[in-house]
Amino acid sequence: SEVTFENTVFKLMTPPNYKTNPQVAACKFLQHCSTDSEIREAASKAGSEFAKSRVLGRMRKDVYERLKAYSLTDECKNLDSYNQHFVKSALQDFERAGLALSEEDGNRLQQLLEQDTAVCDEYKKNLGNDDTKLFFTEDQLKGCSRDFIQDRLGKDEKGKCTITLKYPDIIPIGQTCEIAETRRAVAEAREGPNAYKNNLELVVQGITLRKKIATLLGFQSWAEFICTKRMSGSYQTVDKFLTNLQTKLEESGKKDHETLLKLKEDHCKNLGVDFDGILNAWDTGFY
């Protein structure tokens, strides 16, 4: 049938094809914010199905061919700038999904994309379902507000506060707890090799998969693959910007480091504890 804006492009601009799908947003919210583990699990599964559906949608060669045919019509050439941009962007999305590849490479790409989705889902699930608990006395949380301490005191162990790795717990500790050992314990629990189950292993898997995806699509790296669709236009532009920024901020960064280190030294002196002469990762937020 004849390709027109209404029967080809417009359908791609409406649910469930557009990126800000409210159903997807609802799943993500419940996956990360619900206090009910069963709801989080159900939302995670629903999110995975949406992600798989989106991957499959981008692999529809018949839709790609119709859109490509429409892009060559006079009607497309006379569209306003917004709709022309949408057509161009949609074509790029299909091609970035591998529809310009051979059938063999296209099938391989689909497998890699599905594996990447699965790895991301497991990573997010580990974050949302983390049940790590640390226990501290009131003295070990010196500096934290009275309300913060009272809300967590005696929940699991008598005389101790229960601290999880959720933001409402770790941010106040990182910013207000005067006891460095407490801040260190929380930081290492969150960033250590055993944090969030197998997430470090999943990061390695994700990096490997995304390198393969980028290479298959003709990009030097995943960063280049992503940046070509962003305002920057290329990885080189981003790298140049960050390098220039680093050069400009290096001197002021050293001064800030010295200022924070002096604050730590004075604080240690007031507490009557040894000053180690190092600004640790768990010190910066506090000082």
Side-chain angles (χ1 to χ4, degrees):
S1 63
E2 181 184 3
V3 289
T4 66
F5 183 87
E6 290 296 323
N7 68 21
T8 303
V9 180
F10 183 70
K11 291 184 177 181
L12 297 174
M13 304 175 81
T14 55
N17 297 301
Y18 68 118
K19 293 181 179 179
T20 53
N21 189 333
Q23 293 174 313
V24 175
C27 285
K28 288 184 178 295
F29 177 81
L30 291 173
Q31 178 185 350
H32 296 293
C33 300
S34 175
T35 57
D36 189 319
S37 61
E38 292 185 3
I39 292 178
R40 290 199 305 270
E41 180 67 22
S44 177
K45 289 181 179 178
S48 297
E49 292 303 315
F50 275 122
K52 290 177 183 177
S53 175
R54 189 178 176 196
V55 169
L56 291 174
R58 288 200 301 255
M59 300 301 292
R60 286 284 300 272
K61 199 170 185 68
D62 56 336
V63 178
Y64 168 62
E65 293 294 349
R66 285 184 66 85
L67 186 63
K68 188 175 181 180
Y70 176 77
S71 70
L72 302 175
T73 65
D74 290 336
E75 180 185 358
C76 182
K77 294 174 184 177
N78 291 321
L79 291 175
D80 59 51
S81 59
Y82 175 84
N83 286 323
Q84 281 193 13
H85 173 76
F86 182 89
V87 172
K88 180 181 178 181
S89 180
L91 279 173
Q92 288 178 341
D93 283 343
F94 279 118
E95 288 166 359
R96 287 163 70 87
L99 294 190
L101 299 174
S102 67
E103 182 177 355
E104 180 181 355
D105 285 344
N107 290 335
R108 174 59 178 153
L109 179 64
Q110 184 172 350
Q111 292 174 357
L112 291 171
L113 290 171
E114 289 175 352
Q115 291 173 29
D116 180 63
T117 297
V119 167
C120 289
D121 287 342
E122 185 176 353
Y123 182 93
K124 293 173 185 176
K125 188 186 299 183
N126 288 344
L127 290 179
N129 293 339
D130 181 76
D131 57 1
T132 300
K133 291 182 179 179
L134 305 174
F135 302 100
F136 299 102
T137 64
E138 292 187 61
D139 289 342
Q140 290 174 311
L141 294 174
K142 180 182 178 181
C144 295
S145 72
R146 173 51 49 185
D147 287 343
F148 178 88
I149 292 174
Q150 288 300 319
D151 286 346
R152 293 157 178 79
L153 185 62
K155 291 179 67 175
D156 293 285
E157 289 190 13
K158 186 177 180 180
K160 290 191 175 182
C161 296
T162 300
I163 301 299
T164 70
L165 300 184
K166 308 298 183 184
Y167 286 125
D169 286 357
I170 63 176
I171 290 179
I173 288 177
Q175 294 180 345
T176 64
C177 181
E178 294 190 35
I179 309 304
E181 183 59 24
T182 301
R183 300 196 306 272
R184 181 198 63 77
V186 172
E188 291 188 349
R190 185 169 183 264
E191 306 292 344
N194 298 317
Y196 303 113
K197 296 184 179 179
N198 63 328
N199 269 9
L200 283 179
E201 179 185 333
L202 292 174
V203 168
V204 174
Q205 291 180 29
I207 291 173
T208 303
L209 285 168
R210 292 184 174 191
K211 172 59 178 175
K212 291 179 179 178
I213 291 169
T215 300
L216 198 56
L217 289 170
F219 294 90
Q220 292 184 352
S221 66
W222 180 262
E224 185 66 24
F225 172 69
I226 293 298
C227 287
T228 52
K229 285 283 285 184
R230 300 288 172 85
M231 186 182 294
S232 61
S234 71
Y235 163 75
Q236 287 78 10
T237 301
V238 175
D239 186 57
K240 181 179 179 181
F241 170 78
L242 293 177
T243 300
N244 289 340
L245 191 63
Q246 180 182 4
T247 301
K248 293 175 181 178
L249 295 177
E250 190 169 358
E251 192 60 36
S252 59
K254 290 179 180 178
K255 292 180 181 178
D256 287 346
H257 182 273
E258 292 172 0
T259 299
L260 292 175
L261 200 59
K262 183 64 170 61
L263 288 171
K264 178 179 179 178
E265 182 179 12
D266 293 343
H267 185 239
C268 288
K269 187 180 297 183
N270 290 336
L271 290 178
V273 299
D274 292 335
F275 172 58
D276 59 9
I278 301 172
L279 191 66
N280 299 296
W282 50 88
D283 293 328
T284 55
F286 177 74
Y287 293 106

